[in-house]
Amino acid sequence: MTTAPSAPRAPRTSLALPGPRAPMTPRALAASTAPATSAISATSITPATPAAPAARGLPLGRADVEAAAARIAGHLRRTPLLAGPAGPELPRAGRRLLLKAEHLQYGGSFKLRGAANAVLALGARRIVTGSSGNHGIALARLAAPLGAEVTVVLAGGAHPAKIAVIKALGGRTVRVPGGVAERDARARELAEETGAVLIPSSDHELVVAGQGTVGLEVLAEAPDAETVYVPTGGGGLLAGVCLAAYGHPVRVVGVEPAGTPRYARSLAAGHPVRLAPGDTVADGLRGQQPGAVPYPIIRDRVDDLITVSDAQILDAAALLRRRGFEAEPSGAVALAGAIRAGRGTGLAVAVVSGGNTKAALMRAAAAGPPARAHCTA
């Protein structure tokens, strides 16, 4: 599929979250050139004269992301932007691609950012969450040096090696049949039953703000980026990057696995929709429906949503391995989207969101809980 570069657009400087408005209608529905893949384009769809967040008393804005960055600075790595594939590996002449190396983050994924922001802001000492694995690992990693207890509820398709790491870090795990919806429902029940603080993997204001620090770092180091490609599961990372990108002309593109396109379907319908449990090699992106917090942010700021097949995800992961990146399939989704989209000739950034491969997880399980020095400045 070949798409002509879009004309430069003016920066969006405000965010319209829930309130009476007409449903967003995607500008185009583009058929994919790859099997079992579709794209929904929302480029250039801007709410009509949205009010400034402060004027509407909205729950989140860029200031919340900046506050999160200050709060969690001593608990994470500022991951680098590294050179991405070029030439025959990225079949768009003249295009530059950088990779935001969140696979190098403590705990192996960007999830540490949102988890740390929520735990530190809430002062939580007893925590319950539902997770596909990486968010649970992030919380368990934080819990040991902070003296907190973590219970992680996992659905049937959770990666056994990720469960082993959570346990090795001192977390308690609970398995439930069904998909993400059943997992999250059980986590809510456990929090109510035990009085613990519920910290969802994406559907929480503090988690979204923490994930948005990825976007702050990208735009600080690559202010001339034309496009940022963001892997999209529960939507916390995409929503956070959207918040960070307000006031900046960068295009924000969410990339979903073709088997679980909950945001693409929801934006096309004009309201959140729930999908049946889906399967994808990107085990961290198997959400069934948009979160109440991320959805309106994504609806009102995202520029495009594209989907990629499992074959495209595995090809991107193999490409990353050839270049020395230890990325799990979920972590390769944004690169798969960047390769597939092939839009524009300027600088693009793809977020490599996680590096919890089987080998990396085995090392993490053997290492056990981190020393306090690994979690604080």
Side-chain angles (χ1 to χ4, degrees):
M1 182 177 72
T2 302
T3 308
S6 61
R9 61 175 174 78
R12 296 179 182 176
T13 57
S14 57
L15 172 62
L17 290 181
R21 71 183 295 262
M24 188 182 89
T25 303
R27 186 179 67 174
L29 295 176
S32 170
T33 57
T37 309
S38 63
I40 294 183
S41 174
T43 307
S44 300
I45 296 178
T46 308
T49 59
R56 295 187 56 184
L58 298 174
L60 285 179
R62 182 185 169 95
D64 296 282
V65 183
E66 293 169 345
R71 182 177 293 121
I72 68 178
H75 295 260
L76 74 153
R77 285 178 172 146
R78 186 181 179 100
T79 56
L81 282 176
L82 302 176
E89 293 180 320
L90 190 69
R92 301 289 169 185
R95 189 165 177 233
R96 293 181 296 148
L97 179 66
L98 296 177
L99 303 174
K100 177 60 169 169
E102 283 296 290
H103 66 296
L104 300 178
Q105 187 57 261
Y106 295 135
S109 82
F110 76 96
K111 290 289 189 178
L112 185 71
R113 296 171 181 268
N117 193 42
V119 170
L120 296 172
L122 297 172
R125 290 296 177 264
R126 297 176 64 201
I127 301 163
V128 170
T129 191
S131 172
S132 298
N134 284 350
H135 180 65
I137 290 171
L139 284 172
R141 181 184 176 88
L142 287 162
L146 294 176
E149 299 176 358
V150 174
T151 299
V152 183
V153 183
L154 302 115
H159 198 302
K162 291 184 177 180
I163 298 173
V165 173
I166 293 169
K167 291 180 177 179
L169 291 170
R172 175 174 175 254
T173 62
V174 175
R175 301 288 299 277
V176 296
V180 172
E182 290 76 16
R183 177 200 78 189
D184 290 346
R186 182 57 184 146
R188 287 192 296 271
E189 291 172 356
L190 276 177
E192 292 172 0
E193 292 169 4
T194 63
V197 175
L198 178 67
I199 301 181
S201 61
S202 59
D203 197 14
H204 192 286
E205 288 87 349
L206 289 165
V207 172
V208 168
Q211 316 303 30
T213 61
V214 170
L216 288 184
E217 292 178 13
V218 167
L219 296 178
E221 296 179 32
D224 57 338
E226 177 186 272
T227 308
V228 178
Y229 293 92
V230 184
T232 305
L237 179 57
L238 179 57
V241 172
C242 283
L243 288 173
Y246 267 91
H248 196 289
V250 68
R251 296 180 66 249
V252 179
V253 178
V255 187
E256 296 182 291
T260 56
R262 85 289 289 151
Y263 279 95
R265 295 275 180 86
S266 295
L267 293 189
H271 58 81
V273 298
R274 177 172 171 175
L275 307 181
D279 193 24
T280 172
V281 294
D283 65 289
L285 307 181
R286 290 175 176 165
Q288 292 174 242
Q289 64 187 43
V293 174
Y295 174 75
I297 300 170
I298 293 168
R299 177 196 65 198
D300 291 341
R301 174 56 178 90
V302 77
D303 293 284
D304 216 349
L305 281 164
I306 61 177
T307 57
V308 288
S309 68
D310 277 1
Q312 290 169 321
I313 294 168
L314 291 174
D315 285 347
L319 174 55
L320 287 169
R321 285 196 300 273
R322 290 197 298 272
R323 296 185 63 84
F325 287 71
E326 188 169 26
E328 61 188 291
S330 297
V333 166
L335 175 59
I339 293 171
R340 185 200 153 193
R343 181 175 183 145
T345 57
L347 176 64
V349 177
V351 180
V352 181
S353 57
N356 282 325
T357 62
K358 184 176 181 180
L361 290 166
M362 289 176 65
R363 292 194 299 270
R372 182 176 295 271
H374 290 171
C375 291
T376 57

PDB file of all heavy atoms in Angstrom, residues 122-139:
ATOM      1  N   LEU A 122       0.105   7.317  44.692  1.00  0.00           N
ATOM      2  CA  LEU A 122      -0.935   6.809  45.596  1.00  0.00           C
ATOM      3  C   LEU A 122      -0.373   6.336  46.930  1.00  0.00           C
ATOM      4  O   LEU A 122      -1.135   6.103  47.872  1.00  0.00           O
ATOM      5  CB  LEU A 122      -1.682   5.656  44.919  1.00  0.00           C
ATOM      6  CG  LEU A 122      -2.448   6.009  43.639  1.00  0.00           C
ATOM      7  CD1 LEU A 122      -2.973   4.746  42.972  1.00  0.00           C
ATOM      8  CD2 LEU A 122      -3.591   6.975  43.945  1.00  0.00           C
ATOM      9  N   GLY A 123       0.944   6.153  47.012  1.00  0.00           N
ATOM     10  CA  GLY A 123       1.519   5.612  48.234  1.00  0.00           C
ATOM     11  C   GLY A 123       1.008   4.218  48.522  1.00  0.00           C
ATOM     12  O   GLY A 123       0.864   3.824  49.689  1.00  0.00           O
ATOM     13  N   ALA A 124       0.741   3.455  47.469  1.00  0.00           N
ATOM     14  CA  ALA A 124       0.121   2.143  47.638  1.00  0.00           C
ATOM     15  C   ALA A 124       1.080   1.139  48.270  1.00  0.00           C
ATOM     16  O   ALA A 124       2.248   1.068  47.889  1.00  0.00           O
ATOM     17  CB  ALA A 124      -0.351   1.622  46.280  1.00  0.00           C
ATOM     18  N   ARG A 125       0.571   0.365  49.223  1.00  0.00           N
ATOM     19  CA  ARG A 125       1.361  -0.694  49.857  1.00  0.00           C
ATOM     20  C   ARG A 125       0.747  -2.072  49.653  1.00  0.00           C
ATOM     21  O   ARG A 125       1.413  -3.077  49.852  1.00  0.00           O
ATOM     22  CB  ARG A 125       1.523  -0.397  51.358  1.00  0.00           C
ATOM     23  CG  ARG A 125       2.445   0.795  51.637  1.00  0.00           C
ATOM     24  CD  ARG A 125       3.859   0.499  51.158  1.00  0.00           C
ATOM     25  NE  ARG A 125       4.765   1.634  51.339  1.00  0.00           N
ATOM     26  CZ  ARG A 125       5.050   2.511  50.398  1.00  0.00           C
ATOM     27  NH1 ARG A 125       4.472   2.410  49.200  1.00  0.00           N
ATOM     28  NH2 ARG A 125       5.880   3.509  50.611  1.00  0.00           N
ATOM     29  N   ARG A 126      -0.514  -2.126  49.270  1.00  0.00           N
ATOM     30  CA  ARG A 126      -1.155  -3.390  48.880  1.00  0.00           C
ATOM     31  C   ARG A 126      -1.816  -3.126  47.535  1.00  0.00           C
ATOM     32  O   ARG A 126      -2.697  -2.278  47.416  1.00  0.00           O
ATOM     33  CB  ARG A 126      -2.181  -3.842  49.918  1.00  0.00           C
ATOM     34  CG  ARG A 126      -1.578  -4.152  51.279  1.00  0.00           C
ATOM     35  CD  ARG A 126      -2.660  -4.501  52.288  1.00  0.00           C
ATOM     36  NE  ARG A 126      -3.376  -5.711  51.928  1.00  0.00           N
ATOM     37  CZ  ARG A 126      -4.587  -6.031  52.380  1.00  0.00           C
ATOM     38  NH1 ARG A 126      -5.242  -5.198  53.196  1.00  0.00           N
ATOM     39  NH2 ARG A 126      -5.167  -7.156  52.029  1.00  0.00           N
ATOM     40  N   ILE A 127      -1.379  -3.853  46.520  1.00  0.00           N
ATOM     41  CA  ILE A 127      -1.756  -3.556  45.140  1.00  0.00           C
ATOM     42  C   ILE A 127      -2.323  -4.801  44.478  1.00  0.00           C
ATOM     43  O   ILE A 127      -1.823  -5.904  44.664  1.00  0.00           O
ATOM     44  CB  ILE A 127      -0.531  -3.070  44.349  1.00  0.00           C
ATOM     45  CG1 ILE A 127       0.061  -1.805  44.984  1.00  0.00           C
ATOM     46  CG2 ILE A 127      -0.874  -2.812  42.883  1.00  0.00           C
ATOM     47  CD1 ILE A 127       1.473  -1.510  44.536  1.00  0.00           C
ATOM     48  N   VAL A 128      -3.378  -4.601  43.688  1.00  0.00           N
ATOM     49  CA  VAL A 128      -3.927  -5.656  42.837  1.00  0.00           C
ATOM     50  C   VAL A 128      -3.963  -5.118  41.411  1.00  0.00           C
ATOM     51  O   VAL A 128      -4.277  -3.943  41.184  1.00  0.00           O
ATOM     52  CB  VAL A 128      -5.344  -6.076  43.277  1.00  0.00           C
ATOM     53  CG1 VAL A 128      -5.979  -6.997  42.234  1.00  0.00           C
ATOM     54  CG2 VAL A 128      -5.302  -6.778  44.627  1.00  0.00           C
ATOM     55  N   THR A 129      -3.649  -5.979  40.459  1.00  0.00           N
ATOM     56  CA  THR A 129      -3.731  -5.582  39.056  1.00  0.00           C
ATOM     57  C   THR A 129      -4.108  -6.771  38.199  1.00  0.00           C
ATOM     58  O   THR A 129      -3.926  -7.925  38.602  1.00  0.00           O
ATOM     59  CB  THR A 129      -2.393  -5.007  38.564  1.00  0.00           C
ATOM     60  OG1 THR A 129      -2.591  -4.399  37.277  1.00  0.00           O
ATOM     61  CG2 THR A 129      -1.320  -6.082  38.449  1.00  0.00           C
ATOM     62  N   GLY A 130      -4.632  -6.493  37.021  1.00  0.00           N
ATOM     63  CA  GLY A 130      -4.783  -7.492  35.973  1.00  0.00           C
ATOM     64  C   GLY A 130      -3.745  -7.200  34.916  1.00  0.00           C
ATOM     65  O   GLY A 130      -3.555  -6.048  34.528  1.00  0.00           O
ATOM     66  N   SER A 131      -3.058  -8.220  34.440  1.00  0.00           N
ATOM     67  CA  SER A 131      -1.941  -7.970  33.528  1.00  0.00           C
ATOM     68  C   SER A 131      -1.718  -9.151  32.604  1.00  0.00           C
ATOM     69  O   SER A 131      -1.973 -10.299  32.969  1.00  0.00           O
ATOM     70  CB  SER A 131      -0.659  -7.693  34.329  1.00  0.00           C
ATOM     71  OG  SER A 131       0.475  -7.621  33.497  1.00  0.00           O
ATOM     72  N   SER A 132      -1.205  -8.846  31.402  1.00  0.00           N
ATOM     73  CA  SER A 132      -0.738  -9.902  30.506  1.00  0.00           C
ATOM     74  C   SER A 132       0.663 -10.355  30.887  1.00  0.00           C
ATOM     75  O   SER A 132       1.151 -11.348  30.353  1.00  0.00           O
ATOM     76  CB  SER A 132      -0.732  -9.391  29.056  1.00  0.00           C
ATOM     77  OG  SER A 132      -2.032  -9.044  28.642  1.00  0.00           O
ATOM     78  N   GLY A 133       1.321  -9.589  31.769  1.00  0.00           N
ATOM     79  CA  GLY A 133       2.639  -9.989  32.241  1.00  0.00           C
ATOM     80  C   GLY A 133       3.568  -8.825  32.516  1.00  0.00           C
ATOM     81  O   GLY A 133       4.112  -8.689  33.615  1.00  0.00           O
ATOM     82  N   ASN A 134       3.773  -7.939  31.547  1.00  0.00           N
ATOM     83  CA  ASN A 134       4.765  -6.885  31.713  1.00  0.00           C
ATOM     84  C   ASN A 134       4.388  -5.856  32.775  1.00  0.00           C
ATOM     85  O   ASN A 134       5.246  -5.378  33.526  1.00  0.00           O
ATOM     86  CB  ASN A 134       5.023  -6.186  30.379  1.00  0.00           C
ATOM     87  CG  ASN A 134       5.888  -7.022  29.451  1.00  0.00           C
ATOM     88  OD1 ASN A 134       6.452  -8.031  29.849  1.00  0.00           O
ATOM     89  ND2 ASN A 134       5.989  -6.612  28.201  1.00  0.00           N
ATOM     90  N   HIS A 135       3.114  -5.489  32.866  1.00  0.00           N
ATOM     91  CA  HIS A 135       2.681  -4.568  33.913  1.00  0.00           C
ATOM     92  C   HIS A 135       2.824  -5.213  35.285  1.00  0.00           C
ATOM     93  O   HIS A 135       3.258  -4.577  36.255  1.00  0.00           O
ATOM     94  CB  HIS A 135       1.229  -4.158  33.667  1.00  0.00           C
ATOM     95  CG  HIS A 135       0.667  -3.214  34.683  1.00  0.00           C
ATOM     96  ND1 HIS A 135       1.135  -1.936  34.865  1.00  0.00           N
ATOM     97  CD2 HIS A 135      -0.355  -3.368  35.583  1.00  0.00           C
ATOM     98  CE1 HIS A 135       0.442  -1.330  35.812  1.00  0.00           C
ATOM     99  NE2 HIS A 135      -0.456  -2.180  36.272  1.00  0.00           N
ATOM    100  N   GLY A 136       2.493  -6.508  35.363  1.00  0.00           N
ATOM    101  CA  GLY A 136       2.680  -7.230  36.616  1.00  0.00           C
ATOM    102  C   GLY A 136       4.137  -7.306  37.015  1.00  0.00           C
ATOM    103  O   GLY A 136       4.486  -7.162  38.195  1.00  0.00           O
ATOM    104  N   ILE A 137       5.021  -7.535  36.041  1.00  0.00           N
ATOM    105  CA  ILE A 137       6.460  -7.549  36.323  1.00  0.00           C
ATOM    106  C   ILE A 137       6.904  -6.185  36.835  1.00  0.00           C
ATOM    107  O   ILE A 137       7.673  -6.093  37.805  1.00  0.00           O
ATOM    108  CB  ILE A 137       7.243  -7.941  35.052  1.00  0.00           C
ATOM    109  CG1 ILE A 137       7.001  -9.415  34.721  1.00  0.00           C
ATOM    110  CG2 ILE A 137       8.736  -7.664  35.222  1.00  0.00           C
ATOM    111  CD1 ILE A 137       7.560  -9.847  33.374  1.00  0.00           C
ATOM    112  N   ALA A 138       6.429  -5.122  36.197  1.00  0.00           N
ATOM    113  CA  ALA A 138       6.814  -3.772  36.614  1.00  0.00           C
ATOM    114  C   ALA A 138       6.386  -3.498  38.053  1.00  0.00           C
ATOM    115  O   ALA A 138       7.165  -2.976  38.864  1.00  0.00           O
ATOM    116  CB  ALA A 138       6.206  -2.747  35.671  1.00  0.00           C
ATOM    117  N   LEU A 139       5.151  -3.849  38.396  1.00  0.00           N
ATOM    118  CA  LEU A 139       4.666  -3.607  39.759  1.00  0.00           C
ATOM    119  C   LEU A 139       5.417  -4.461  40.769  1.00  0.00           C
ATOM    120  O   LEU A 139       5.777  -3.987  41.863  1.00  0.00           O
ATOM    121  CB  LEU A 139       3.171  -3.891  39.834  1.00  0.00           C
ATOM    122  CG  LEU A 139       2.250  -2.836  39.234  1.00  0.00           C
ATOM    123  CD1 LEU A 139       0.811  -3.333  39.190  1.00  0.00           C
ATOM    124  CD2 LEU A 139       2.329  -1.524  40.015  1.00  0.00           C
TER     125      LEU A 139
END
